């Protein structure tokens, strides 16, 4: 069976104020053409179809267009909800849409109920594991401690139990939206850390033939059977080095997996440039970036006048301007933002405790802080769904 694996469309998302709906529509067209050109048997979309729980109307219309075009091909499609989606909204009409060959899997309780497709060699069971917010699904999976690994492990127990009851030789594909150990994140993914731990081991998914992952925006191979497709478009300058693509996966009769990367259309290249303003305006080596979306980091010790206007004279698609003066680490003018760079909200809170008290939080206090941050994020997820 030939499977096209994609994820993280983030329909409705902008890129530094640039409306991306045109590029997203172009990607949908490319996806449909790829399905026909490569004789794809099934499409899997591993979550984050939308960029937010209540997407703009134009994004909903684009999704509707994608559903009609995929259904028109007569090629089955399996989709799950991600952490940016409202599972309940995305799942509206799932039963009816299912009849058109578009299978939306947004209910945690249905993790062990697959979409079963067949080829010349027998059945392939597709299990959809939507994003599982630990605090919201721990009762469904009867786990004592709400954590990503525990709820995913419980969901996979249901998958393996169902698979064991099927005829010998039934092949299996799992769609999941999670941060799996070994994956490389970027700046554009929403934090899903619970209890200070975001990643789950790839071994959680043992026992199935292929795992189609979503959440991380870079295309990555964790094992021969566990892969991220990444997002089809870049949504932050941290993705400037990404090659945006989809996985074309061939699942053999014996469950052997072979995969090929297929490139996605690039609306405009990204470039991150760094130096003093005068150097950036004069350096001939930067000519190649004059048509790119640019993030410019200025290292001038004193902020120069009208930097954005002067940069856009040479780089008309400059979208982000960062000031990072070259100074010694002990310079008192080193910015607060630089000191906080790369630190999580929880780490910043721990630093604050240490600053005001003279000593960091003890084990009990660390647990309280962790629970507080987890509760705030879970409450935010509930509020988004309820909007």
């Amino acid at each position: 069976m030939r499977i096209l694996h994609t994820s993280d469309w983030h329909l409705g998302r902008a890129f530094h104020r640039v409306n991306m709906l045109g590029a997203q529509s172009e990607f949908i067209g490319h996806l449909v053409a790829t399905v026909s050109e490569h004789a794809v048997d099934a499409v899997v979309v591993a979550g984050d179809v939308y960029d937010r729980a209540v997407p703009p109307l134009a994004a909903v219309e684009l999704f509707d267009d994608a559903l009609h075009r995929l259904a028109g091909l007569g090629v089955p499609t399996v989709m799950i909800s991600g952490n940016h989606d409202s599972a309940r909204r995305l799942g509206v009409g799932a039963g009816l849409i299912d009849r058109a060959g578009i299978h939306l899997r947004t209910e945690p309780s249905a993790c062990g109920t697959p979409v079963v497709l067949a080829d010349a060699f027998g059945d392939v069971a597709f299990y959809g594991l939507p994003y599982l917010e630990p605090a919201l699904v721990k009762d469904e999976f009867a786990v004592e401690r709400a954590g990503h690994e525990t709820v995913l492990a419980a969901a996979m127990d249901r998958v393996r139990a169902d698979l064991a009851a099927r005829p010998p030789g039934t092949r299996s594909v799992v769609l999941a939206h999670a941060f799996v150990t070994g994956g490389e994140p970027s700046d554009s993914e929403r934090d899903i850390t619970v209890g200070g731990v975001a990643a789950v081991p790839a071994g959680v998914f043992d026992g199935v033939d292929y795992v189609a992952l979503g959440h991380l925006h870079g295309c990555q191979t964790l094992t021969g059977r566990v892969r991220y497709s990444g997002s089809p478009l870049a949504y932050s300058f941290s993705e400037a080095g990404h090659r945006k693509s989809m996985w074309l996966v061939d699942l053999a009769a014996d469950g052997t997996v072979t995969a090929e990367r297929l490139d996605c259309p690039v609306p405009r290249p990204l470039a991150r440039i760094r130096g003093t303003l005068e150097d950036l305006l004069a350096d001939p080596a930067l000519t190649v970036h004059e048509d790119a979306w640019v993030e410019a980091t200025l290292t001038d010790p004193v902020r120069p006048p009208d930097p954005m206007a002067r940069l856009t004279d040479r780089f008309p698609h400059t979208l982000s301007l960062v000031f990072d003066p070259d100074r010694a680490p002990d310079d008192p003018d080193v910015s607060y933002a630089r000191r906080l760079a790369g630190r999580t909200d929880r780490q910043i809170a721990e630093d604050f405790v240490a600053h005001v008290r003279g000593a960091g939080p003890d084990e009990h206090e660390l647990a309280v802080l962790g629970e507080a941050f987890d509760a705030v994020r879970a409450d935010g997820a509930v509020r988004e769904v309820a909007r």
Side-chain angles (χ1 to χ4, degrees):
M1 182 170 287
R2 175 161 284 185
I3 302 162
L4 187 64
H5 168 196
T6 178
S7 73
D8 295 273
W9 295 357
H10 289 278
L11 300 182
R13 185 165 185 161
F15 180 76
H16 288 269
R17 306 179 307 282
V18 174
N19 188 316
M20 297 293 284
L21 276 170
Q24 291 169 339
S25 179
E26 184 181 357
F27 162 69
I28 296 299
H30 170 73
L31 171 71
V32 171
T34 299
V35 170
S36 297
E37 179 185 348
H38 291 273
V40 169
D41 297 307
V43 177
V44 297
V45 185
D48 281 353
V49 173
Y50 291 122
D51 188 56
R52 57 181 187 264
V54 185
L57 178 59
V60 177
E61 291 173 339
L62 180 55
F63 180 57
D64 181 64
D65 178 61
L67 292 183
H68 278 83
R69 295 173 73 177
L70 288 168
L73 295 173
V75 175
T77 300
V78 185
M79 296 182 172
I80 61 172
S81 50
N83 62 301
H84 280 250
D85 299 309
S86 164
R88 292 178 64 185
R89 282 190 173 85
L90 187 64
V92 168
L96 188 61
I97 295 170
D98 194 81
R99 299 179 189 178
I102 306 293
H103 308 283
L104 299 174
R105 292 296 182 262
T106 63
E107 290 292 335
S109 59
C111 286
T113 304
V115 176
V116 180
L117 305 177
D119 63 9
F121 305 106
D123 289 346
V124 180
F126 289 77
Y127 297 90
L129 277 57
Y131 172 65
L132 302 174
E133 175 60 50
L136 303 182
V137 302
K138 64 184 182 67
D139 292 337
E140 165 64 33
F141 293 105
V143 296
E144 292 184 6
R145 181 172 176 80
H148 286 291
E149 184 174 352
T150 53
V151 296
L152 268 174
M156 283 301 301
D157 285 343
R158 295 187 184 183
V159 168
R160 285 184 283 265
D162 179 85
L163 190 58
R166 294 188 176 275
T170 300
R171 289 158 291 162
S172 54
V173 174
V174 165
L175 290 72
H177 198 85
F179 185 0
V180 179
T181 303
E184 182 64 34
S186 66
D187 291 345
S188 52
E189 298 115 8
R190 182 181 295 171
D191 179 38
I192 60 171
T193 302
V194 171
V197 178
V200 300
V204 164
F205 300 103
D206 286 351
V208 296
D209 294 310
Y210 184 70
V211 181
L213 293 174
H215 180 56
L216 299 185
H217 287 187
C219 183
Q220 302 171 60
T221 299
L222 303 186
T223 75
R225 298 182 182 276
V226 182
R227 288 182 166 88
Y228 282 101
S229 66
S231 60
L233 297 166
Y235 293 112
S236 73
F237 278 102
S238 65
E239 300 170 57
H242 287 188
R243 172 188 164 196
K244 295 301 183 181
S245 55
M246 301 178 286
W247 285 113
L248 186 66
V249 176
D250 284 309
L251 187 60
D254 63 355
T256 301
V257 170
T258 57
E260 175 188 359
R261 285 181 72 177
L262 303 179
D263 291 337
C264 294
V266 178
R268 191 179 296 279
L270 306 186
R272 303 179 102 171
I273 59 177
R274 180 185 178 90
T276 65
L277 178 59
E278 295 304 326
D279 286 346
L280 297 183
L281 295 177
D283 189 349
L286 299 181
T287 301
V288 66
H289 300 314
E290 290 179 352
D291 195 44
W293 280 322
V294 168
E295 178 185 73
T297 299
L298 300 184
T299 60
D300 303 72
V302 177
R303 185 175 301 207
D306 300 320
M308 182 60 91
R310 295 169 67 187
L311 276 168
T312 53
D313 282 342
R314 182 178 185 189
F315 306 102
H317 304 289
T318 301
L319 299 180
S320 176
L321 185 58
V322 180
F323 294 95
D324 187 18
D326 282 335
R327 295 185 176 126
D330 58 351
D331 190 311
D333 290 330
V334 171
S335 73
Y336 180 66
R338 187 189 295 187
R339 295 200 301 272
L340 296 184
R343 300 188 68 73
T344 66
D345 290 344
R346 178 173 169 175
Q347 289 171 328
I348 293 170
E350 292 170 9
D351 290 347
F352 176 76
V353 173
H355 174 72
V356 299
R357 196 172 61 187
D362 60 27
E363 187 173 325
H364 172 70
E365 292 166 333
L366 286 172
V368 171
L369 281 172
E371 290 170 2
F373 278 105
D374 292 347
V376 168
R377 197 193 59 256
D379 182 65
V382 170
R383 289 174 182 273
E384 275 201 346
V385 171
R387 284 174 60 188

